[in-house]
Amino acid sequence: MAVLALFAAVTAAAQATITTKKYKLADFSAKTLKVVLSGSDWLDALLREEVQHSWTLSPYEFCTTEDFDALHASDQYYFLMIVSGRFRKEKTPGIDMLTVLKGGDPEIDRMLEVVSLPFGPDEGFSGRESTFLGPLLKIVQRRVELAMESDLKGYLGIPSTIMLGRESKHKTILFAEEDIALSVTEIDRMKYFDENIQAVDADDADEAMEEGSWMTLVSYVVAPENPVNGSYCYKMLFDASSGELVYFRRHKISSRRPAGFLTEDLKRIVAVR
């Protein structure tokens, strides 16, 4: 009986092991990543360019949404796609997410989500997406690598909060004006902005990001064009020279807490400087 109990325990442990995310992603580098094009000329050209420039973790092919419909139940593929909040039961209402899914389930809503990052509003892009798709792809790729290395990191995914470290203390921060919440008052601006923390035109912020400006952090906010109950705003700061995501927080949008960096974000950011 003791031997049988030990065998049952070992078997159960083995079964528990093979259901982990790390185990499920063990074949990622050997399988083809299907990059699903949306049908939008602008977005598809951008996606092709950035994937060809930065994706190195696995072989990849571009495909259509019709191909995805036909292939998503096959465990021979992974899929990289820009997923609308409406696509998977309104997980992120009003937001398009840059997402990697594992094929193998006929039910799209039950496909394993490997990693997902906010990309843009699902009702018309601002144009800033072209600046940040490359950095977002690199972060997605790195998160896949971490999930392959560690069960803990795989299940944590993108941390819900990433705070600035002391290494950011002397860097200039450029906030695109449109990324600052309407609730931030002039008094707040006088208190938190200076020559090293600036509110600038979005074009100037994006130019700094595209040029990889040294010792510079750039803001990027993703929020729905028309928020509904349950809508979130995602606030990010990227290191322009490395593309690293150094600040990441979200909040639920309300009349008192509109989209954009809030006063509480500015307070947190200034506290490390």
Side-chain angles (χ1 to χ4, degrees):
M1 292 295 292
V3 171
L4 288 174
L6 178 61
F7 176 77
V10 170
T11 302
Q15 289 174 339
T17 299
I18 64 174
T19 58
T20 64
K21 196 168 187 179
K22 177 182 176 182
Y23 178 87
K24 292 177 181 178
L25 300 181
D27 62 353
F28 189 94
S29 296
K31 296 290 177 68
T32 297
L33 178 75
K34 291 285 190 178
V35 181
V36 184
L37 302 176
S38 66
S40 162
D41 291 342
W42 171 79
L43 183 55
D44 290 348
L46 176 63
L47 193 57
R48 284 181 180 275
E49 178 183 356
E50 295 298 345
V51 168
Q52 291 169 348
H53 181 260
S54 62
W55 194 266
T56 59
L57 190 55
S58 64
Y60 62 84
E61 298 173 351
F62 296 98
C63 73
T64 64
T65 53
E66 290 77 17
D67 294 328
F68 172 78
D69 290 339
L71 297 172
H72 74 263
S74 170
D75 63 3
Q76 296 304 301
Y77 303 104
Y78 286 83
F79 299 89
L80 170 67
M81 59 195 304
I82 295 172
V83 177
S84 167
R86 296 185 292 268
F87 184 74
R88 302 185 81 199
K89 292 185 178 178
E90 292 286 351
K91 291 181 67 176
T92 53
I95 297 288
D96 281 349
M97 305 291 285
L98 184 63
T99 301
V100 176
L101 301 170
K102 180 179 175 66
D105 198 309
E107 297 294 330
I108 293 175
D109 287 327
R110 289 171 26 188
M111 293 173 70
L112 175 65
E113 185 177 282
V114 180
V115 65
S116 194
L117 267 177
F119 174 67
D122 70 358
E123 294 183 9
F125 295 124
S126 68
R128 301 190 72 206
E129 295 82 8
S130 61
T131 298
F132 291 93
L133 177 57
L136 288 170
L137 272 173
K138 291 178 182 178
I139 294 164
V140 164
Q141 188 166 214
R142 179 57 182 153
R143 297 310 305 185
V144 174
E145 291 177 316
L146 290 174
M148 293 168 66
E149 295 170 4
S150 164
D151 286 324
L152 178 60
K153 293 175 181 176
Y155 283 108
L156 286 176
I158 303 294
S160 59
T161 300
I162 299 174
M163 294 296 293
L164 287 180
R166 292 291 177 181
E167 67 278 2
S168 301
K169 184 174 182 180
H170 301 294
K171 294 181 179 179
T172 298
I173 303 178
L174 301 180
F175 286 98
E177 189 66 54
E178 64 190 52
D179 287 344
I180 302 170
L182 295 176
S183 58
V184 174
T185 66
E186 287 302 318
I187 294 176
D188 293 329
R189 288 173 178 262
M190 292 175 63
K191 183 176 181 179
Y192 296 114
F193 291 158
D194 55 29
E195 67 275 7
N196 293 319
I197 303 180
Q198 305 174 28
V200 300
D201 186 81
D203 289 341
D204 294 330
D206 291 355
E207 183 179 0
M209 189 71 196
E210 291 165 358
E211 293 180 352
S213 297
W214 182 248
M215 296 291 286
T216 302
L217 308 180
V218 179
S219 72
Y220 183 50
V221 166
V222 175
E225 187 72 22
N226 298 294
V228 298
N229 185 37
S231 293
Y232 281 91
C233 165
Y234 295 84
K235 301 158 287 188
M236 295 169 273
L237 287 176
F238 289 86
D239 187 302
S241 60
S242 68
E244 182 182 358
L245 182 62
V246 298
Y247 185 90
F248 182 86
R249 288 182 66 83
R250 73 172 190 173
H251 70 264
K252 187 171 287 189
I253 299 172
S254 68
S255 58
R256 296 181 62 182
R257 305 181 84 212
F261 280 83
L262 303 169
T263 301
E264 64 192 59
D265 293 300
L266 300 177
K267 187 180 299 184
R268 289 187 178 97
I269 291 166
V270 169
V272 304
R273 298 175 68 81

